[in-house]
Amino acid sequence: MTELALDGVSKAYDETTALRDVSLAVADGEFFTLVGPSGCGKTTTLRTIAGFEEPTAGEVRFDGESVTGLGPEARDVGVVFQNYALFPHMSVAENVGYGLKFRDSGTASSEARIEELLELVDLSGMGEREPSQLSGGQQQRVALARALAPEPSLLLLDEPMSALDARLRESLRRQVKRIQSELSITTVYVTHDQEEALAISDRLAVMNEGRVEQIGTPEAIYRRPRTRFVAEFVGDNNVLAGEVRGREDDRLRVGVDGGEFAIGDPVADSGRDSGDRDGGVESAPSPGDRIIFCVRPEALREDAETNRVRVSVEGQEFHGESVRVDGRWGETPIVLRLPDVPTHEELTVGFEPEAAHVVERE
Amino acid sequence: MSSRAGGPGGRRDGRSRRSGRNRLRGWAGRHALTVLAVATAAILAVMLYLPVGIVFSQAVFSEGTPTLSAFRAVLADPFYTGALAGVLADPLAIGAHVEGVLEWLRAGAPVPRMGLFGFTAYQAALSTVASVLLGLPAAYVLATYEFRGRRTIRSLTILPFVLPGIMVAVGFYAMFGRDGTLNAALDFAGLGPVDFIGYSPLAVVIVAHAFYNAPLVARVTLAAWESVDRRAVETARSLGAGPGRAFRDVVVPQLLPAVLTGALLTFVFTFMTFPIVLALGGLGLATVEVWIYDRISQLAVAEAATLAVLETVLTLGLTYAYLRYESAQAGMSRGDASPAREPLFPDLRTALSARRLAVLAYGAVAVVVFVGPMASMVVGGVTDGGGFTLRHYRFLAERQATGAAYQTLPWPAIRNSLLFGVATLAVALPMGVTISVLTVRSRWGTAIDALAMVPLAVSGVVFGIGLLEGLVFGTDIGGFRLQVTGAAAIVAAHAVAAYPFVVRNVSPLLADLDPALVESARALGASRARALLDVELPLVASGIVAGAAFAFAISIGEFSSTVILASGSDAYTMPVAVERYLGRRNGPAIAMGTVLLVVTAASFVVVDRVGGRFEA
Ligand SMILES: Nc1ncnc2c1ncn2[C@@H]1O[C@H](COP(=O)(O)OP(=O)(O)OP(=O)(O)O)[C@@H](O)[C@H]1O
Ligand SMILES: [Mg+2]
């Protein structure tokens, strides 16, 4: 029931510009994630949506209606912070019930409502505890329950899991996702963890230096990054720059350093599924153009027949289901993901032309 | 689409419903802080900036035209500026000045004439040295050794801050006076009596200043010492530094700023000293502040104002330097592994080591300086030359029963003190909390903080004159006559003197609060004021209580401006009564001082219980 839109939002502080012309639209009931490195403006975006900051330019709209000038208390949003921000002088139940005081519906039903929410986050019967008596994960669930209690039309979460250990983080994010889709509440989630962003979101926006680099489904972002930054930030990747030497059928011949690779035509590539044109370049590169393309580590296989290169092994990490190998092709660093620990100091790997994705023109 | 938990309730109708119904309350909620801020600013404008401004303007305006002649007259008068008067009279005659210096050197560099300002700085410098010398060993002992009563002594270092200066002066009378405990002890040994105060009033004043400020030095140094991260020292040791070297390289650099802070504050405080010098030294030992008071009593207001401006410029300059310095130090790390302490007297052999004996010797000096005067006062209140007596208290009772209206009666003094104390709380607490919120949460925090801390740099006497001139006599502002008199003026003066302590106690706690707490409350629907009430204030309650106890104690002990505002009226307070009793017969003053001690000690207990702080 609530759509969110940011329209050309910029935010300047005295010395820094935190946001530059950020536009995005979040559909009703969508789980939307902002991801990017530290300082890229994720928190600022979230705070602008919540009403803690006013944009220096542009507009935030809820259901098409501008909310400029509305204080956070009037925006009807639920906010969950990284450090939970539970009121330490109130019990769990009082925390969860705090927002209900400002609702029109009387206090009669609030006790039932509090219990209902505690149940929703698997904390039934914990209402009388003090926040300090709970573990980090429990505190975070109280914070979630507190934000949801007044039935906000928008749920905003700023790195809610980053203070928790990895395993807990995974189970908690599934719980958040489950609750979100149960309530089908429009949600904006902030994280600097690209893996988490891919795992949890309906769509995500990758941000860098105050700008939105790309918006899309996890799959589109992963498979068809549109900028070098996205290609390098999301997942492990081999990003190469080279010059187009020729076109044959739907292949490009690209010279990189001492080698030459055949890669799939970027225009055909971007049109391949769902009409989603987030990935790739708009028009076909012609010979002489310099382009940037990427090949995911898992696409580099020892049994591939095309585009074969010799890679010297420099380091490896065992990940259970696969082995991550850091190597070098000439001067160029290369990341591989192999099924087994390599037995030689040098390997020959190749990739299918269609596995390469043209990111942008250089 | 599945339904929301708890049923329907779209945002749009939710939001418009809310904004409609609560528009008025919403306005109040949104602007409550603004309203409080404006009220606080108004009180400050009328009760602080206006009076101080009037004093200043009297110094620079003569019959409506601006002039610096008053300054020139003061600066060029050897009575005020001593040997510098010639230079200040004609600063550009450099050749003559150089000649003067050479002549002075040829004459064997005799002690130059200091003048009033020189003497004031001189006694402040001596007092600072004495305070540092007496304070540092205390910090050392409290930081290094563990012994019974350590925590108590540590909290007692805050006590002087709530002890009225006039009462300390009385304590020193009770100890060093002709009939004091020291003479009683000498008498017992077949010596004396010695008129200590008559013999060297300056020495007694300096010890009294050290009584006040050594605990301050000790406290700020100790705080820095305790925040030294033990692991940093251990790292230095593991890198090859011996214990002495590690101390010098790691601990000392972290202590130095604190010691300097303590010394600077001591200098500023003792430069502005008033009741102690007035009571112990009189005009023979006049500092700037005492002289200003005397000028006021002689109705030489313009001259007093000129002196007041010069004094304020000097102390403000120092305070500014201090603040600059403090902010430069703000980034210093605070460790959480504080240094370990060793037992003071684990066994006999250790107890007889040179270091422990030095600690014992210091302890003896500390007992004489710190415990002596207060104990002497309590004892002096119930003794009389030979033995126990209730004569002094009986005198107070009789004075109350039979005293004439124009005389200073004990009960009105006590009643006024308590009433003014409570009234001060009622004004200073909201002001202080508002200023704290503004300094911590607003963009102009530092500027507001600096403006609001003016009372710490303006002396009580200056402020008293300003209130007298501006509010008690009345001022015309755009055809409106502004006049505040009697009790109201005194309460205003006390509130202005007291609120910085509320700010100093509340601000750090408020600054430590996670801003996300307030934001969470806002997002849940609370207005800014409501979030303050529901979240921030309960969480800084201990700071508010400590600030309140300080404010009360400051009000109870305030002397400088009260003595000016209460002159010729029956709005006198306990400290004023003490001063009025003093001199004729010390007994009643000492008895009154003891009552004052009891009241301030009670405030101290409250401050201590809630962990109050006065450090900036
Ligand atoms: N109140 C502020 N005043 C000045 N600059 C600010 C303020 N808040 C944020 N910034 C600056 O704006 C930029 C974006 O900050 P923001 O907190 O939005 O980043 P972020 O993406 O949330 O980073 P992180 O992952 O570290 O939380 C940063 O350069 C930051 O220094
Ligand atoms: Mg952030």
Side-chain angles (χ1 to χ4, degrees):
Chain A
M1 268 159 283
T2 297
E3 294 165 13
L4 164 72
L6 269 67
D7 197 357
V9 169
S10 296
K11 174 75 191 177
Y13 292 106
D14 293 339
E15 282 151 29
T16 44
T17 304
L19 298 180
R20 300 161 200 267
D21 194 21
V22 169
S23 296
L24 50 87
V26 181
D28 179 40
E30 189 174 30
F31 196 112
F32 191 89
T33 298
L34 302 172
V35 68
S38 182
C40 70
K42 309 177 294 285
T43 298
T44 308
T45 310
L46 203 74
R47 294 172 59 79
T48 310
I49 299 170
F52 299 131
E53 313 277 355
E54 285 294 334
T56 359
E59 213 170 48
V60 177
R61 284 196 294 269
F62 290 6
D63 285 335
E65 212 180 299
S66 169
V67 291
T68 308
L70 276 187
E73 70 271 28
R75 289 199 183 187
D76 201 17
V77 294
V79 182
V80 178
F81 292 99
Q82 171 180 357
N83 49 4
Y84 328 133
L86 295 180
F87 305 132
H89 58 302
M90 298 182 190
S91 70
V92 166
E94 284 167 338
N95 264 284
V96 175
Y98 185 77
L100 300 176
K101 288 198 239 182
F102 307 103
R103 299 291 296 180
D104 293 326
S105 50
T107 48
S109 61
S110 69
E111 250 170 64
R113 175 82 183 137
I114 291 168
E115 197 42 48
E116 182 186 331
L117 276 149
L118 287 178
E119 210 164 295
L120 184 72
V121 297
D122 290 339
L123 288 173
S124 319
M126 301 269 209
E128 294 316 304
R129 300 253 193 121
E130 298 298 317
S132 61
Q133 295 171 306
L134 301 180
S135 72
Q138 288 171 328
Q139 291 185 34
Q140 192 53 286
R141 287 176 336 212
V142 174
L144 181 62
R146 180 179 70 180
L148 290 171
E151 296 167 39
S153 39
L154 202 58
L155 180 62
L156 307 173
L157 306 110
D158 190 356
E159 312 221 12
M161 320 283 185
S162 54
L164 306 173
D165 71 70
R167 202 166 276 273
L168 190 55
R169 203 153 62 210
E170 273 180 36
S171 80
L172 204 51
R173 85 183 178 212
R174 286 191 194 106
Q175 197 172 4
V176 168
K177 178 78 188 177
R178 171 180 63 75
I179 292 169
Q180 186 270 339
S181 56
E182 232 167 72
L183 306 180
S184 70
I185 178 170
T186 313
T187 298
V188 180
Y189 185 96
V190 162
T191 180
H192 62 262
D193 180 346
Q194 45 86 24
E195 215 175 294
E196 184 168 277
L198 294 178
I200 198 172
S201 322
D202 293 332
R203 284 190 312 139
L204 57 149
V206 182
M207 296 185 67
N208 183 33
E209 293 181 352
R211 272 182 248 276
V212 171
E213 293 265 336
Q214 187 173 358
I215 298 177
T217 62
E219 204 194 349
I221 297 273
Y222 185 82
R223 294 200 197 289
R224 296 184 301 282
R226 205 167 57 180
T227 67
R228 178 174 198 136
F229 174 81
V230 175
E232 284 172 343
F233 182 77
V234 178
D236 285 335
N237 218 344
N238 297 294
V239 180
L240 301 167
E243 189 186 321
V244 177
R245 296 214 176 123
R247 290 184 72 119
E248 284 126 31
D249 304 331
D250 51 357
R251 298 275 163 87
L252 294 178
R253 274 190 300 112
V254 183
V256 179
D257 295 336
E260 185 172 286
F261 299 103
I263 64 175
D265 186 305
V267 176
D269 172 37
S270 68
R272 211 153 30 222
D273 56 75
S274 69
D276 172 359
R277 291 183 48 91
D278 280 341
V281 289
E282 306 289 320
S283 62
S286 39
D289 286 354
R290 287 195 64 83
I291 59 165
I292 291 170
F293 67 98
C294 63
V295 183
R296 291 283 173 190
E298 60 270 21
L300 289 169
R301 298 199 323 268
E302 289 179 280
D303 58 2
E305 280 162 14
T306 45
N307 298 324
R308 290 177 70 79
V309 289
R310 285 183 75 75
V311 175
S312 59
V313 176
E314 296 193 332
Q316 59 192 45
E317 280 173 7
F318 184 66
H319 284 227
E321 79 285 1
S322 67
V323 180
R324 184 197 140 110
V325 174
D326 280 296
R328 225 169 250 284
W329 164 58
E331 290 297 298
T332 315
I334 295 287
V335 186
L336 310 173
R337 200 166 271 278
L338 303 176
D340 294 302
V341 179
T343 48
H344 297 90
E345 303 211 332
E346 286 214 331
L347 324 155
T348 304
V349 292
F351 60 93
E352 303 295 334
E354 278 68 36
H357 165 73
V358 176
V359 176
E360 58 183 341
R361 285 195 171 82
E362 199 172 31
Chain B
M1 180 180 295
S2 61
S3 76
R4 299 257 181 96
R11 174 198 55 79
R12 194 182 320 204
D13 41 6
R15 192 172 74 235
S16 50
R17 192 170 62 222
R18 253 182 248 175
S19 57
R21 202 190 58 140
N22 288 343
R23 191 162 295 147
L24 199 67
R25 229 206 292 153
W27 186 91
R30 259 197 313 286
H31 299 282
L33 263 183
T34 319
V35 171
L36 269 177
V38 168
T40 301
I43 292 182
L44 283 181
V46 172
M47 297 300 183
L48 176 61
Y49 300 123
L50 175 72
V52 172
I54 284 178
V55 174
F56 280 33
S57 69
Q58 277 180 340
V60 290
F61 283 99
S62 170
E63 286 159 8
T65 47
T67 165
L68 289 178
S69 59
F71 286 103
R72 222 172 281 134
V74 166
L75 291 176
D77 185 345
F79 173 79
Y80 289 120
T81 51
L84 286 179
V87 179
L88 292 168
D90 190 4
L92 294 181
I94 295 167
H97 302 323
V98 172
E99 185 57 37
V101 171
L102 292 177
E103 199 162 303
W104 173 70
L105 287 175
R106 275 196 294 275
V111 176
R113 184 172 175 188
M114 287 192 279
L116 186 65
F117 278 95
F119 173 73
T120 306
Y122 172 65
Q123 63 81 28
L126 287 181
S127 303
T128 305
V129 170
S131 302
V132 170
L133 286 183
L134 208 55
L136 284 189
Y140 165 74
V141 172
L142 289 170
T144 322
Y145 298 110
E146 189 56 75
F147 52 93
R148 279 188 57 175
R150 190 188 69 85
R151 287 182 53 81
T152 313
I153 292 178
R154 193 189 185 293
S155 19
L156 280 174
T157 53
I158 209 173
L159 186 55
F161 245 77
V162 295
L163 289 184
I166 191 72
M167 190 191 83
V168 173
V170 168
F172 274 75
Y173 257 109
M175 184 156 168
F176 293 99
R178 201 176 273 280
D179 307 322
T181 44
L182 218 50
N183 270 322
L186 287 177
D187 191 38
F188 193 72
L191 299 166
V194 181
D195 183 5
F196 293 100
I197 298 179
Y199 178 70
S200 175
L202 180 60
V204 177
V205 163
I206 285 168
V207 176
H209 283 164
F211 171 92
Y212 244 99
N213 293 294
L216 163 74
V217 173
R219 195 174 174 84
V220 290
T221 309
L222 182 60
W225 209 318
E226 284 173 343
S227 71
V228 170
D229 193 331
R230 184 168 71 212
R231 289 167 302 195
V233 178
E234 287 166 355
T235 308
R237 295 294 305 277
S238 74
L239 292 171
R245 183 68 201 246
F247 180 79
R248 208 171 52 201
D249 289 352
V250 178
V251 180
V252 170
Q254 297 193 52
L255 297 190
L256 219 52
V259 177
L260 279 175
T261 303
L264 221 137
L265 287 174
T266 302
F267 188 86
V268 170
F269 289 150
T270 52
F271 193 89
M272 297 196 289
T273 183
F274 177 53
I276 286 179
V277 176
L278 182 68
L280 290 174
L283 285 184
L285 209 63
T287 56
V288 175
E289 190 88 347
V290 173
W291 194 251
I292 295 174
Y293 175 65
D294 180 70
R295 294 288 88 194
I296 293 287
S297 316
Q298 312 289 328
L299 297 177
V301 174
E303 192 179 353
T306 309
L307 290 174
V309 171
L310 286 172
E311 184 200 41
T312 308
V313 167
L314 281 172
T315 51
L316 266 183
L318 277 177
T319 311
Y320 175 74
Y322 162 66
L323 286 177
R324 285 295 300 270
Y325 173 76
E326 188 195 49
S327 66
Q329 296 298 325
M332 291 252 298
S333 69
R334 299 234 139 205
D336 45 20
S338 50
R341 279 178 288 270
E342 46 183 308
L344 187 53
F345 297 122
D347 52 54
L348 194 61
R349 176 111 64 84
T350 324
L352 291 177
S353 68
R355 196 174 284 202
R356 310 289 153 131
L357 290 177
V359 170
L360 274 185
Y362 171 74
V365 173
V367 166
V368 171
V369 174
F370 297 115
V371 182
M374 293 299 102
S376 299
M377 185 171 74
V378 175
V379 171
V382 292
T383 52
D384 185 14
F388 179 79
T389 178
L390 286 177
R391 207 163 59 92
H392 305 315
Y393 289 96
R394 207 174 310 123
F395 170 87
L396 290 182
E398 275 165 19
R399 167 62 71 88
Q400 176 63 35
T402 62
Y406 64 85
Q407 285 179 312
T408 303
L409 305 182
W411 170 241
I414 297 173
R415 187 199 54 208
N416 285 342
S417 279
L418 295 176
L419 279 181
F420 295 164
V422 172
T424 298
L425 277 191
V427 182
L429 270 189
M431 274 175 78
V433 169
T434 306
I435 291 170
S436 282
V437 173
L438 292 177
T439 46
V440 172
R441 301 279 186 241
S442 112
R443 287 213 289 146
W444 302 284
T446 358
I448 294 173
D449 198 32
L451 270 182
M453 287 304 130
V454 166
L456 292 183
V458 176
S459 77
V461 166
V462 172
F463 188 45
I465 309 171
L467 284 174
L468 195 66
E469 296 266 304
L471 299 182
V472 177
F473 298 163
T475 314
D476 281 313
I477 301 175
F480 171 77
R481 183 139 191 89
L482 182 71
Q483 192 168 23
V484 184
T485 54
I490 293 179
V491 168
H494 288 189
V496 167
Y499 80 81
F501 289 87
V502 178
V503 175
R504 279 289 174 251
N505 276 280
V506 173
S507 288
L509 297 186
L510 210 50
D512 277 352
L513 280 192
D514 183 355
L517 288 172
V518 175
E519 292 176 345
S520 294
R522 299 289 309 273
L524 289 167
S527 65
R528 180 66 190 88
R530 185 70 196 256
L532 180 69
L533 219 56
D534 285 351
V535 178
E536 287 165 296
L537 292 190
L539 291 175
V540 300
S542 68
I544 295 178
V545 175
F550 264 119
F552 190 72
I554 296 288
S555 165
I556 296 286
E558 213 291 331
F559 177 74
S560 310
S561 48
T562 316
V563 73
I564 293 173
L565 293 171
S567 66
S569 84
D570 56 3
Y572 49 83
T573 59
M574 285 198 269
V576 175
V578 168
E579 202 269 339
R580 289 184 187 170
Y581 290 145
L582 205 61
R584 279 161 246 170
R585 253 164 301 167
N586 288 344
I590 291 174
M592 193 74 190
T594 310
V595 176
L596 198 48
L597 178 65
V598 171
V599 177
T600 40
S603 309
F604 160 73
V605 170
V606 174
V607 170
D608 187 47
R609 275 292 141 78
V610 296
R613 52 206 286 172
F614 69 93
E615 297 99 335

